[in-house]
């Protein structure tokens, strides 16, 4: 059985076992990885994520009592809640908050959400930066929209799922994750302008080019990631203010040196330089991909990593080791992806060299005494869909 069929079968089996009977349908949403554009989202800039062939599947059916019951294979017991709990952010906590948050966001937008029984299985690793959170939100959203026959076109789903995560769960994320997992398309990356929320599908057909992306889970222990993230955001906001722009996205690449000269501390200058050059690297990557020059984006990926390491200062030894080892083993480019201080590295490789690059990274890790990394080879996959 393929991995995709397996996770769907687990969702169905979970449904039968918990609730009895058959689900009315199954809905799937993928994880995502950001190809390039890090810490640009809250600076009104550009990102370029793509959906992964790893999915969260929800098997679901309407419940006539108007309440919600949700089971995940990550937990033993189902969680139950009704409209009163759904209408008050915080009342449902833990993992089920991601589900209650979707119900809340739909109801807050004026929709009549049917009660439902939901069973969830997933291949998206939880908490490693591949956006299992957006995957569960999107799969649940798709299920509830269809079970209720709600009039909600898919281009409005990302905003709604983001509200669930921001306002019900209480996690301050941008709109990238939800956009990527909802709108992803096989063989494409999603170019997203975080200011206008305009999206464009950019050809990124790795398979046809004999290429693949190796995703390396650094397994690095999270080190103060939340506080450091908040500090970076604050530093960017302060810099934008000092420069008299709405956001760092408004500093043109050609004006960067002049802008830096107007800032008085070297740390802030480095932060600004990362954001402005990273936006430009996203635009340059998009241009190369439009021209079908996938291999040529390698140096941009690697430059993005150097900028995160030296200017934004958000990498850790495990991450830098993985990038260096992947490059030494022949990757066209490699970079940390995600907010930093742990999470994943991605490397652009020839498909038939992926195993050798993965082995080289594992060997470098062993040399340094780090916990062994997780590695998987991926191609850009499709977004949120109904399975059957
Ligand atoms: P990431 O999105 O990078 O995987 P987050 O911390 O944003 O990490 O989201 C992870 C959280 O999302 C989990 O701790 C859990 O609460 C919830 N979650 C994700 N997938 C599932 C799932 N299949 N079942 C239950 N909860 C899930
Ligand atoms: Mg998340």
């Amino acid at each position: 059985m393929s991995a995709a069929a397996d996770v769907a079968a687990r969702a169905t089996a979970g449904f039968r076992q918990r609730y009895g009977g058959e689900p009315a349908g199954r809905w799937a949403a993928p994880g995502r990885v950001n190809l390039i554009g890090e810490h640009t989202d809250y600076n009104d800039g550009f990102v370029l994520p793509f959906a992964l062939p790893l999915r969260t599947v929800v098997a679901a059916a309407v419940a006539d009592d108007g309440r919600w019951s949700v089971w995940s294979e990550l937990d033993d017991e189902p969680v139950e809640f009704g409209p009163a709990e759904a209408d008050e952010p915080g009342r449902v906590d833990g993992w089920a908050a991601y589900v209650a948050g979707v119900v809340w966001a739909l109801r807050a937008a004026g929709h009549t959400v049917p009660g439902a029984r939901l069973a969830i299985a997933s291949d998206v690793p939880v908490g490693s930066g591949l956006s299992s959170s957006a995957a569960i939100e999107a799969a649940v959203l798709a299920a509830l929209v269809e079970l209720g026959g709600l009039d909600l076109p898919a281009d409005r789903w990302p905003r709604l799922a983001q509200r669930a995560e921001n306002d019900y769960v209480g996690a301050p994320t941008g709109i990238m994750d939800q956009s990527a997992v909802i709108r992803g398309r096989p063989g494409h990356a999603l170019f997203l302008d975080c200011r206008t929320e305009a999206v464009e599908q950019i050809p990124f057909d790795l398979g046809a080019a004999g290429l693949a992306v190796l995703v390396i889970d650094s397994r690095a222990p999270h080190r103060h990631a939340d506080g450091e993230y908040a500090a970076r955001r604050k530093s960017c906001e302060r810099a934008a203010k000092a420069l008299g722009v709405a956001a760092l996205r408004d500093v043109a690449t050609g004006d960067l040196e002049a802008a830096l000269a107007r800032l008085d501390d070297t740390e802030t200058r480095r932060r600004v330089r990362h954001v402005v050059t990273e936006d430009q690297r996203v635009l340059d990557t998009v241009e190369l991909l439009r021209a079908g020059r996938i291999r040529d984006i390698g140096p941009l990926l690697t430059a993005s990593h150097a900028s995160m390491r030296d200017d934004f200062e958000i990498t850790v030894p495990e991450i830098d080791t993985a990038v260096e080892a992947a490059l030494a083993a022949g990757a066209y480019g490699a970079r940390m992806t995600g907010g930093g201080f742990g999470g994943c590295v991605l490397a652009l490789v020839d498909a038939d060299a992926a195993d050798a690059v993965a082995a080289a990274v594992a060997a470098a890790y062993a040399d340094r005494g780090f916990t062994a990394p997780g590695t998987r080879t991926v191609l850009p996959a499709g977004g949120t869909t109904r399975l059957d």
Side-chain angles (χ1 to χ4, degrees):
M1 204 185 286
S2 74
D6 194 44
V7 63
R10 296 203 308 272
T12 304
F15 187 96
R16 288 182 184 137
Q17 194 189 338
R18 299 289 145 180
Y19 309 122
E22 291 299 304
R26 299 184 295 184
W27 290 264
R32 66 94 190 95
V33 71
N34 189 23
L35 181 60
I36 193 162
E38 225 61 76
H39 287 263
T40 47
D41 57 349
Y42 56 80
N43 289 298
D44 277 5
F46 308 109
V47 294
L48 189 62
F50 65 91
L52 295 173
L54 300 166
R55 302 204 285 192
T56 295
V57 176
V58 176
V62 167
D64 293 328
D65 61 1
R67 294 174 60 81
W68 296 274
S69 187
V70 50
W71 170 83
S72 163
E73 61 185 347
L74 295 185
D75 198 0
D76 295 331
E77 293 303 316
V79 174
E80 260 203 65
F81 57 91
E85 292 102 313
D87 286 350
E88 201 183 315
R91 280 284 291 279
V92 177
D93 57 6
W95 64 269
Y98 291 84
V99 178
V102 171
V103 173
W104 170 81
L106 282 167
R107 285 169 64 88
H111 297 283
T112 304
V113 186
R117 298 192 178 90
L118 308 130
I120 301 170
S122 182
D123 285 335
V124 186
V126 166
S128 27
L130 301 182
S131 211
S132 68
S133 59
I136 187 173
E137 290 151 14
V140 168
L141 181 57
L144 293 176
V145 165
E146 214 171 317
L147 288 174
L150 308 185
D151 180 19
L152 187 65
D155 61 353
R156 288 182 37 213
W157 293 10
R159 176 56 88 197
L160 236 131
Q162 184 199 10
R163 287 200 67 201
E165 187 151 348
N166 290 174
D167 299 342
Y168 196 98
V169 178
T173 61
I175 198 157
M176 168 171 73
D177 296 357
Q178 291 82 5
S179 300
V181 314
I182 289 166
R183 314 195 62 168
R185 192 185 284 177
H188 291 76
L190 190 77
F191 177 36
L192 171 64
D193 179 331
C194 297
R195 170 169 282 168
T196 63
E197 291 179 18
V199 296
E200 187 184 341
Q201 300 285 350
I202 305 296
F204 186 49
D205 195 346
L206 292 171
L211 295 166
V213 162
L214 183 68
V215 176
I216 303 156
D217 185 342
S218 72
R219 301 261 161 86
H222 275 277
R223 301 174 176 95
H224 316 298
D226 291 351
E228 296 285 354
Y229 177 84
R232 295 304 180 285
R233 260 188 106 130
K234 201 163 231 166
S235 170
C236 291
E237 274 162 28
R238 265 203 313 266
K241 206 162 185 197
L243 293 169
V245 291
L248 290 182
R249 182 255 181 81
D250 298 309
V251 178
T253 305
D255 299 334
L256 177 59
E257 289 309 319
L260 295 181
R262 290 172 53 203
L263 296 168
D264 47 21
D265 82 279
T266 57
E267 184 184 283
T268 307
R269 275 190 225 128
R270 290 201 303 277
R271 305 296 188 248
V272 171
R273 188 165 57 201
H274 166 72
V275 173
V276 175
T277 59
E278 184 77 353
D279 269 333
Q280 186 63 48
R281 282 186 289 270
V282 177
L283 298 175
D284 292 346
T285 301
V286 166
E287 278 314 302
L288 287 168
L289 294 181
R290 280 195 185 117
R293 294 169 56 192
I294 303 183
R295 281 177 182 75
D296 293 343
I297 73 170
L300 292 166
L301 303 180
T302 306
S304 167
H305 187 77
S307 178
M308 289 189 283
R309 183 191 59 212
D310 303 334
D311 279 346
F312 223 59
E313 298 177 282
I314 53 174
T315 69
V316 292
E318 290 87 340
I319 292 275
D320 292 330
T321 298
V323 167
E324 280 157 30
L327 291 172
Y332 293 103
R335 62 183 287 275
M336 179 180 76
T337 178
F341 305 98
C344 292
V345 162
L346 60 80
L348 178 66
V349 297
D350 283 321
D352 58 14
D355 288 347
V357 175
V361 172
Y365 256 58
D367 276 352
R368 306 274 311 258
F370 298 148
T371 304
T375 52
R376 53 167 58 85
T377 306
V378 301
L379 300 176
T384 304
T385 52
R386 180 173 184 154
L387 292 181
D388 49 35

